[in-house]
Amino acid sequence: MDNDSGDDAVWQVALDWLMREHEESLNDADREALHAWLAASSQHRRVFHEAEQLWLLTGMIPRSDERN
């Protein structure tokens, strides 16, 4: 991942969303806000996807059979 000047802030927002999504259940308003943030920019979607992949690779997201 390249970290241009705006990427650091986008990366932080993506991580914040990931942590919120996996530490608590997002309510409808939060889920809509996440979808709006993702829809606002291809950079947001790319960085969020990269953050998800990193999270999965480090084992921080439980396997689907371990989730609720």
Side-chain angles (χ1 to χ4, degrees), residues 17 26-38:
W17 275 118
L26 295 180
N27 62 35
D28 290 339
D30 289 338
R31 192 159 301 284
E32 285 182 30
L34 171 57
H35 289 285
W37 183 78
L38 291 170

Side-chain angles (χ1 to χ4, degrees), residues 11 14-15 18 21-22 34 38 45-61 67:
W11 180 252
L15 288 176
L18 267 177
E21 188 175 43
H22 294 285
L34 171 57
L38 291 170
R45 292 186 299 279
R46 177 183 53 81
V47 172
F48 187 81
H49 178 72
E50 289 174 1
E52 281 183 315
Q53 294 303 307
L54 180 61
W55 193 295
L56 285 168
L57 288 171
T58 61
M60 296 183 77
I61 295 177
R67 295 182 196 168

